[in-house]
Amino acid sequence: MSRTQPTHFTPRLVFGSRSYATKGKAKSTATFVPGSKQPITDEAARQEYDKAETAMKTAAEWFRKECASSEVRASGRVTPALLSPVRVKLPSAEKEFKLEELATVGVRDGTTLLITLFDEHTIKHVESALHTCKIPGVVPHRYDDRTIKIPIPKPTVDARHALYAAAKRKAEEMRVQIRKQHSLSVKRGKFEKHSVELEEFQKLTDRYIGEVDKVLANLQKATGAPK
């Protein structure tokens, strides 16, 4: 009597996402997002993140503008933008005025800035602002009651290096400011260790410090200064 050979069963291997049963329903892990990649969902944490980003961005943008002005000075180009940091105080007003709000600024012969005031009574206040702004090479000379001339000398190697050295100090101030904002936000948020919030705030801090470093590196190349 012949025996029936047993049937051998070879299990099929199915590769793909795993599923877990939850109350009769299967939930695929294909849509799971690792904790490190999840966005901040808590509303209070989100608001704190936005505040921190605004403060850090403001610091980085201010530094970017400062370095742009320094790069122009280092290049020897004479443009009205050289005087963009100037702020003028008038006794009749509480706020400080940008120079372009009180005068026109032009360039003569490619080497001299010419300031023509809208109101001659503001000339001494503008002169005071030009002296106190501490822009290298800016020495105002009164031409008449409404006009100030500023001859701009060609920057020397030492002058270019000094511009970079000043920017380097400002860069460190911005880094400190950004880190302080990070610490303040984390302290206010009271986030748990290894939380998504802590990781995202650290990424934010690293990003804006990186921007400051990049701007400084570009200025270093433009001025030819040693690091």
Side-chain angles (χ1 to χ4, degrees):
M1 182 175 179
S2 62
R3 292 185 178 181
T4 303
Q5 294 295 325
T7 302
H8 294 281
F9 175 73
T10 302
R12 294 175 61 194
L13 299 179
V14 180
F15 297 94
S17 59
R18 298 171 62 188
S19 297
Y20 294 91
T22 55
K23 294 185 179 181
K25 294 182 179 180
K27 185 174 182 181
S28 172
T29 61
T31 58
F32 283 5
V33 179
S36 61
K37 295 184 179 180
Q38 290 178 1
I40 296 175
T41 55
D42 180 76
E43 182 60 28
R46 184 76 246 176
Q47 290 179 2
E48 187 61 44
Y49 182 93
D50 291 342
K51 289 179 183 177
E53 183 171 26
T54 298
M56 293 179 187
K57 184 177 181 179
T58 298
E61 285 300 316
W62 178 87
F63 182 66
R64 189 188 308 279
K65 290 178 181 178
E66 286 291 304
C67 284
S69 179
S70 295
E71 187 171 342
V72 169
R73 295 200 296 274
S75 70
R77 298 193 306 271
V78 178
T79 72
L82 288 171
L83 302 181
S84 59
V86 177
R87 295 294 180 269
V88 183
K89 294 181 180 179
L90 298 179
S92 59
E94 294 182 0
K95 74 164 191 172
E96 293 183 335
F97 294 87
K98 295 180 180 180
L99 185 57
E100 56 265 32
E101 293 180 285
L102 303 175
T104 59
V105 182
V107 180
R108 175 178 289 180
D109 301 327
T111 60
T112 302
L113 289 171
L114 198 65
I115 302 171
T116 305
L117 300 169
F118 302 140
D119 183 350
E120 63 183 32
H121 296 99
T122 62
I123 192 165
K124 67 177 182 179
H125 304 295
V126 172
E127 286 177 323
S128 176
L130 290 167
H131 281 295
T132 58
C133 69
K134 297 181 180 179
I135 299 176
V138 171
V139 181
H141 300 277
R142 187 182 296 198
Y143 185 71
D144 57 36
D145 291 341
R146 293 182 57 219
T147 310
I148 299 172
K149 293 173 63 177
I150 306 176
I152 304 296
K154 289 289 184 182
T156 63
V157 172
D158 288 342
R160 290 197 296 270
H161 290 184
L163 286 169
Y164 174 72
K168 195 173 181 180
R169 290 191 295 270
K170 291 176 183 176
E172 184 54 31
E173 291 173 6
M174 292 304 101
R175 294 188 196 102
V176 170
Q177 188 172 323
I178 290 169
R179 291 189 186 107
K180 280 184 178 179
Q181 181 60 52
H182 170 266
S183 298
L184 181 62
S185 294
V186 168
K187 184 178 180 180
R188 281 199 293 240
K190 298 179 181 179
F191 306 122
E192 294 182 5
K193 193 175 182 181
H194 304 305
S195 65
V196 172
E197 289 83 3
L198 276 183
E199 185 171 345
E200 291 302 314
F201 273 92
Q202 187 59 54
K203 287 179 182 177
L204 183 69
T205 302
D206 293 343
R207 170 152 57 94
Y208 281 105
I209 287 180
E211 287 191 16
V212 169
D213 292 343
K214 183 178 179 181
V215 171
L216 183 64
N218 289 338
L219 182 62
Q220 187 268 330
K221 292 178 182 177
T223 58
K227 293 183 179 180

